[in-house]
Amino acid sequence: MKYLQRVEALTSAVVEQRPIRQVGALCFRRVGDDIEVLLITTRRTGRWFIPKGWPMEGLNDFEAAAREAWEEAGVRGKVKKKVYGCVGCEKTVQNFHGRGRC
C-alpha cells in the first residue's frame, strides 16, 4: 500500500472510530537474577511505551515488530512468534494529535 493510501486509511479509521491494529515488541533481557524491560518515550507526549508500529506489507507481524524495535530503539535479538498481549488506545478526531487516552 502506498504511503498516501495508508494515511487516508488511518485517517478514515480514526474519523469513523474503527480500531487500528499495530504491532509491538516486548523487548527484555536477563541481568543476573533480574529481568530488564525496554521502554522508549513517544515523540509528542514523552510517555513511556514499547517499540510499536504498523503491520508491514511482506512481513509477518512478529517480523514487523522486530523491525520496529530496531528502527525505534536500535535493538535486535531473538524474536518469538507468540502474541503475548493486546493493548487498547482510544483516539478520536479531537485528540488525534498525540493526546489519546492510552
Side-chain angles (χ1 to χ4, degrees):
M1 182 182 293
K2 294 184 180 177
Y3 180 76
L4 290 178
Q5 290 172 324
R6 176 179 259 177
V7 169
E8 181 182 18
L10 294 173
T11 303
S12 65
V14 170
V15 170
E16 297 168 10
Q17 298 182 352
R18 287 184 284 122
I20 304 170
R21 190 171 62 86
Q22 289 188 301
V23 296
L26 181 59
C27 306
F28 66 91
R29 66 181 176 188
R30 296 181 199 281
V31 179
D33 291 336
D34 296 327
I35 294 178
E36 295 179 344
V37 176
L38 172 72
L39 296 175
I40 59 174
T41 55
T42 60
R43 278 188 294 223
R44 292 189 182 131
T45 64
R47 291 184 181 143
W48 292 98
F49 213 78
I50 63 171
K52 66 176 181 61
W54 310 110
M56 297 178 194
E57 204 170 307
L59 297 180
N60 293 321
D61 286 349
F62 67 91
E63 294 169 321
R67 187 177 204 170
E68 288 295 335
W70 172 247
E71 290 176 0
E72 293 186 2
V75 295
R76 292 182 194 238
K78 296 178 184 176
V79 180
K80 305 281 184 179
K81 297 177 183 180
K82 181 179 178 180
V83 174
Y84 284 94
C86 184
V87 176
C89 179
E90 181 181 309
K91 294 198 183 269
T92 63
V93 175
Q94 292 81 18
N95 64 22
F96 186 57
H97 299 288
R99 289 175 241 133
R101 293 183 295 162
C102 298

